[in-house]
Amino acid sequence: MGVTLRAMGADTASKKFAVFFAVSALVLLVVLTRGVPIEPMNSQQLKEDDTEDAIRRSESALEDHVRNLEKTQREMDKAKRELSRLKQQLLDLRNASTNTFPSVVPRNEFDRKRILITGGAGFVGSHLTDALMKQGHEVTVMDNFFTGRKKNVEHWIRHPNFELINHDVVEPFMIEVDEIYHLASPASPPHYMYNPIKTIKTNTLGTINMLGLAKRVGARLLLASTSEVYGNPTVHPQPETYFGNVNPDGPRACYDEGKRIAETMCYAYQKQSGVEVRVARIFNTFGPRMHIGDGRVVSNFIIQALQGQPMTVYGEGKQTRSFQYVSDLVDGLMALMNSDFSDPVNIGNPEEYTMVDFAKSIRELVGDPKVEITHKPATQDDPQRRRPDITRAKQHLGWEPKVKVVDGLKKTIEYFRRELEQPSARAADGRGVGGPYGHQIHLPYVNEE
Ligand SMILES: O=c1ccn([C@@H]2O[C@H](COP(=O)(O)OP(=O)(O)O[C@H]3OC[C@@H](O)[C@H](O)[C@H]3O)[C@@H](O)[C@H]2O)c(=O)[nH]1
């Protein structure tokens, strides 16, 4: 065999044949082991053309698909708009057919007043809104919903005499009205101390804005001032002639001094610009629609007792307060607005309690004698006693409170019982709820210093 190859090796053609044979064998081997088809160039080109065609067809199909999707999307948007229009129509029809509004005294337009209530969605403001609406007046509620809630006035929404405006009184506002009840301000100590600068702005800039408006449109303005202008009083009970004992640098000053300067502004506008003003010095008030995270003593004690938690008395609990039910306050505010008396007037109920006795009374009304009364640190500058002298209100307004504290407490306890049954209150139980300023307020808010 070797001899034969050597003999052939001399022959070049034979060598070429041998190389060709070896390469072919190798290619055949690769094809067999890998399964890769070997195609001629022209067939590959054909396949590429096919692929490009297929891609073009797919692209055009995709574009059609996108166009169809866009069309469907437009149709869906249209259907959604139609659905929400129909929903609104249904709601309007339901309201109109069931006539869910509380009944309102009919008045002709000469007899009907246009009234603005700042802070009208708050605890006191919403009760005042109810009373004025029921009397048949046109009421505009302005609120920034820091401590107020839409829920408090929602039963008037869409009533032709009612309007709700989301506006912060710190910003100027223009409206044609006959009367302004200027209530806007946080009133609970933990709320007004949480953002003291905002409290000061609300009571100063807010009051200037409202007095400016009153001057421009010739409206009468009633300022919701406070018993806190008397500070920690050295005179007891407090008549309106008492100048007060306020620490201008303490934690309560943003509110106390804010209201004091607001009163000063009212009388400056009256003297210099002839604005008709009324100033109500409101003493501690309670009732339904107080916020569950309000932090004042009435809501704290009631919520604690209802939940079987210790009732938190700040300090020794010998400090006193005199409490009025909200309906009495509303009557007093309207009587003052409609009077011709422009000096400050105390609006409060002289029924006075020490905080320890008050806790005991609430515990008894709630009916759970096992609830413990516990003591927390006293708060700085906490007024040690407070009781209104209401001689002026009796004489000039013919007003005095009608609701006994115990009767008011019973109604308020029932209100909080219902509030605590709401899922939002249950969810927040023990872990705090989002406060009116967006901060965490514990349920109830308790001084932990
Ligand atoms: O859980 C509590 C809450 C409060 N307190 C005490 O209860 C008393 C009343 O406190 P509140 O927070 O209810 O209200 P204050 O009287 O301090 O301020 C109020 O005054 C009149 C209004 O203008 C305002 O609503 C508010 O500023 C205080 O002595 C306070 O220390 C408790 O003992 N326990």
Side-chain angles (χ1 to χ4, degrees):
M1 181 73 175
V3 176
T4 319
L5 279 177
R6 258 198 305 277
M8 284 171 71
D11 183 343
T12 316
S14 300
K15 266 185 190 168
K16 278 182 183 169
F17 176 76
V19 170
F20 174 75
F21 181 79
V23 169
S24 300
L26 199 65
V27 168
L28 190 66
L29 191 71
V30 169
V31 168
L32 287 175
T33 52
R34 291 197 170 181
V36 178
I38 305 292
E39 292 180 53
M41 277 304 284
N42 56 352
S43 131
Q44 201 163 346
Q45 186 61 53
L46 273 175
K47 185 129 197 196
E48 273 174 19
D49 289 350
D50 283 354
T51 313
E52 271 175 22
D53 271 358
I55 290 173
R56 265 195 296 277
R57 278 197 303 279
S58 308
E59 274 175 356
S60 120
L62 199 67
E63 277 165 13
D64 285 350
H65 198 56
V66 168
R67 268 194 296 277
N68 282 339
L69 271 175
E70 281 171 354
K71 195 175 159 212
T72 316
Q73 181 68 49
R74 279 195 299 276
E75 280 167 359
M76 268 173 65
D77 288 347
K78 200 175 153 199
K80 267 191 203 159
R81 282 196 298 275
E82 183 62 8
L83 189 68
S84 83
R85 192 185 66 79
L86 287 170
K87 268 190 192 161
Q88 187 56 52
Q89 220 170 37
L90 189 69
L91 209 71
D92 289 348
L93 277 172
R94 213 178 274 160
N95 278 345
S97 64
T98 52
N99 189 16
T100 49
F101 299 119
S103 60
V104 162
V105 174
R107 273 177 198 271
N108 63 41
E109 65 179 285
F110 303 105
D111 209 15
R112 195 188 311 140
K113 285 188 264 187
R114 297 162 304 169
I115 301 171
L116 171 66
I117 307 178
T118 72
F123 157 52
V124 173
S126 64
H127 287 284
L128 179 64
T129 299
D130 285 353
L132 292 168
M133 281 295 296
K134 285 177 187 169
Q135 287 185 359
H137 299 295
E138 267 175 42
V139 177
T140 301
V141 162
M142 182 215 284
D143 211 297
N144 64 359
F145 301 107
F146 272 18
T147 53
R149 289 176 294 171
K150 230 176 235 177
K151 185 181 158 192
N152 289 341
V153 289
E154 69 184 357
H155 46 285
W156 294 114
I157 289 173
R158 280 188 286 279
H159 190 287
N161 287 356
F162 179 78
E163 196 159 354
L164 177 62
I165 296 170
N166 184 342
H167 182 86
D168 192 323
V169 75
V170 164
E171 303 298 332
F173 186 74
M174 182 57 204
I175 189 172
E176 285 286 339
V177 283
D178 306 304
E179 291 178 353
I180 302 168
Y181 285 87
H182 177 38
L183 272 58
S185 173
S188 162
H191 294 174
Y192 68 61
M193 287 183 211
Y194 176 75
N195 191 342
I197 296 172
K198 182 73 186 176
T199 304
I200 293 167
K201 282 185 180 172
T202 303
N203 282 295
T204 54
L205 297 176
T207 305
I208 284 273
N209 285 337
M210 289 304 107
L211 283 164
L213 173 65
K215 176 182 163 187
R216 200 158 152 191
V217 300
R220 181 181 287 182
L221 180 142
L222 180 145
L223 171 72
S225 185
T226 171
S227 54
E228 292 232 35
V229 297
Y230 301 124
N232 185 14
T234 52
V235 170
H236 193 75
Q238 296 81 52
E240 291 85 349
T241 47
Y242 176 51
F243 291 170
N245 177 32
V246 170
N247 172 4
D249 308 318
R252 303 177 82 102
C254 56
Y255 185 69
D256 300 7
E257 297 288 19
K259 290 290 187 188
R260 284 168 71 97
I261 189 69
E263 286 194 13
T264 310
M265 288 170 180
C266 284
Y267 293 114
Y269 268 77
Q270 176 171 266
K271 189 164 179 237
Q272 199 177 325
S273 306
V275 175
E276 282 192 59
V277 296
R278 304 286 180 265
V279 174
R281 290 187 180 154
I282 302 173
F283 282 65
N284 297 61
T285 306
F286 68 96
R289 297 193 194 148
M290 287 185 97
H291 197 290
I292 209 159
D294 182 277
R296 277 177 285 189
V297 71
V298 180
S299 49
N300 276 10
F301 282 178
I302 293 178
I303 295 168
Q304 287 161 341
L306 285 172
Q307 295 188 319
Q309 290 172 0
M311 299 168 84
T312 53
V313 170
Y314 299 165
E316 281 185 62
K318 288 185 187 154
Q319 71 272 34
T320 70
R321 293 292 187 275
S322 306
F323 297 97
Q324 73 180 326
Y325 189 63
V326 67
S327 60
D328 280 332
L329 169 61
V330 166
D331 289 346
L333 293 178
M334 293 189 302
L336 177 60
M337 178 64 105
N338 296 327
S339 75
D340 53 10
F341 192 75
S342 65
D343 289 344
V345 181
N346 289 339
I347 308 283
N349 184 336
E351 262 194 71
E352 187 181 1
Y353 293 80
T354 66
M355 289 309 101
V356 163
D357 288 345
F358 195 52
K360 287 178 185 161
S361 303
I362 289 179
R363 180 171 63 182
E364 205 179 306
L365 289 170
V366 167
D368 186 352
K370 290 193 297 301
V371 170
E372 195 192 322
I373 293 175
T374 181
H375 291 264
K376 293 270 173 186
T379 58
Q380 192 191 329
D381 295 339
D382 194 4
Q384 289 308 294
R385 48 193 189 156
R386 184 183 288 161
R387 178 164 137 218
D389 176 335
I390 56 167
T391 315
R392 204 177 256 190
K394 284 184 189 166
Q395 273 175 6
H396 294 272
L397 315 181
W399 173 89
E400 62 182 318
K402 296 190 192 96
V403 183
K404 287 198 182 73
V405 173
V406 165
D407 295 336
L409 283 175
K410 285 180 189 160
K411 291 183 191 173
T412 313
I413 289 168
E414 282 324 301
Y415 157 76
F416 276 116
R417 219 188 274 281
R418 287 194 302 276
E419 281 290 283
L420 289 172
E421 278 163 13
Q422 301 295 314
S424 54
R426 276 206 303 276
D429 186 17
R431 282 174 285 122
V433 288
Y437 286 85
H439 59 294
Q440 285 298 106
I441 282 192
H442 293 285
L443 182 64
Y445 181 93
V446 169
N447 173 41
E448 298 288 3
E449 274 167 27

